[in-house]
Amino acid sequence: GISGNLQTMALAELLQWIAGGDKSGTLHLDNGSVEKKIYFVEGRIIGTSSSNPKEYLGHFLVGHGYINEVELAKALDMQEESKLLLGRILTSIGVISEEDLDRVLYMKSEECVYDLFAWPDGEFRFVDGELPKAGLQPIDMSVTAVILQGTDDSTSGPESTTSGLPSQTGIGGMPSPGNSTPGSRKARFGPATT
């Protein structure tokens, strides 16, 4: 693995190193108030996690209008009992479709990573071969596309934030033709395991 500080190795360089080496593992990042993890398989991003409650799946789904607070509370109660993934619960009770869940997981991961480009400082370490022990519904995201969008957003000034949909997405938040799509991960990683 590798470890260091984002002031001495820029995030774009770090992501390129992981992608260029077809690395599989977890990139841990910490800016002192938020911890994030980016999961990679063969140099491609398959998921993210964050200690920031605003980046939790439930909050993201409510904030983007896919579910309401009551549905989230019900699903979280069910999750507490069953220990199943929140996405699996929400699709099983019919409040969100598999397609919408895939779209949201993709958008959530994009925003989680894009936010990192705005960090002025932070510690990182990449752990080869480390992937989440708990289930993960993988996405399939190109590191190159993330770097291009992330560096563009971080250099465009305050009016260009990562809180909206990234520019590589088309209508309804789906990636535009030619970009990696949430569904394309099925060919690489098999069926979803919400």
Side-chain angles (χ1 to χ4, degrees):
I2 188 173
S3 63
N5 186 288
L6 293 173
Q7 288 186 336
T8 56
M9 184 174 197
L11 181 62
E13 283 180 72
L14 180 58
L15 295 174
Q16 285 175 325
W17 177 81
I18 294 168
D22 289 332
K23 303 273 185 200
S24 294
T26 300
L27 178 60
H28 298 259
L29 301 117
D30 186 339
N31 71 0
S33 59
V34 175
E35 294 176 36
K36 294 190 181 202
K37 295 177 184 176
I38 306 174
Y39 308 108
F40 294 86
V41 170
E42 298 173 3
R44 295 186 64 85
I45 297 170
I46 64 158
T48 62
S49 65
S50 172
S51 67
N52 181 351
K54 292 180 179 178
E55 294 180 343
Y56 292 174
L57 177 60
H59 183 55
F60 199 88
L61 287 165
V62 170
H64 284 79
Y66 284 93
I67 64 173
N68 61 43
E69 293 282 347
V70 173
E71 292 166 329
L72 176 60
K74 178 182 176 183
L76 289 172
D77 286 344
M78 292 173 71
Q79 185 181 38
E80 190 68 30
E81 293 174 22
S82 68
K83 305 299 183 209
L84 292 173
L85 295 173
L86 183 62
R88 178 179 292 280
I89 293 167
L90 292 168
T91 57
S92 71
I93 63 175
V95 297
I96 189 170
S97 69
E98 285 281 341
E99 291 89 13
D100 283 344
L101 180 61
D102 284 348
R103 183 179 308 116
V104 168
L105 288 171
Y106 193 89
M107 291 181 341
K108 179 182 134 343
S109 290
E110 282 181 322
E111 288 190 19
C112 181
V113 175
Y114 293 153
D115 178 61
L116 291 166
F117 285 93
W119 285 15
D121 191 20
E123 300 295 317
F124 69 83
R125 69 184 162 88
F126 182 77
V127 181
D128 284 302
E130 179 187 81
L131 291 171
K133 291 178 179 40
L136 171 75
Q137 178 165 339
I139 59 169
D140 183 16
M141 186 180 299
S142 163
V143 170
T144 302
V146 168
I147 292 170
L148 290 173
Q149 183 66 35
T151 54
D152 181 50
D153 280 353
S154 68
T155 58
S156 298
E159 71 283 349
S160 177
T161 67
T162 58
S163 60
L165 293 177
S167 65
Q168 75 227 35
T169 56
I171 297 170
M174 288 300 292
S176 301
N179 292 317
S180 181
T181 63
S184 69
R185 65 155 169 77
K186 289 181 181 156
R188 184 172 212 145
F189 302 110
T193 58
T194 49

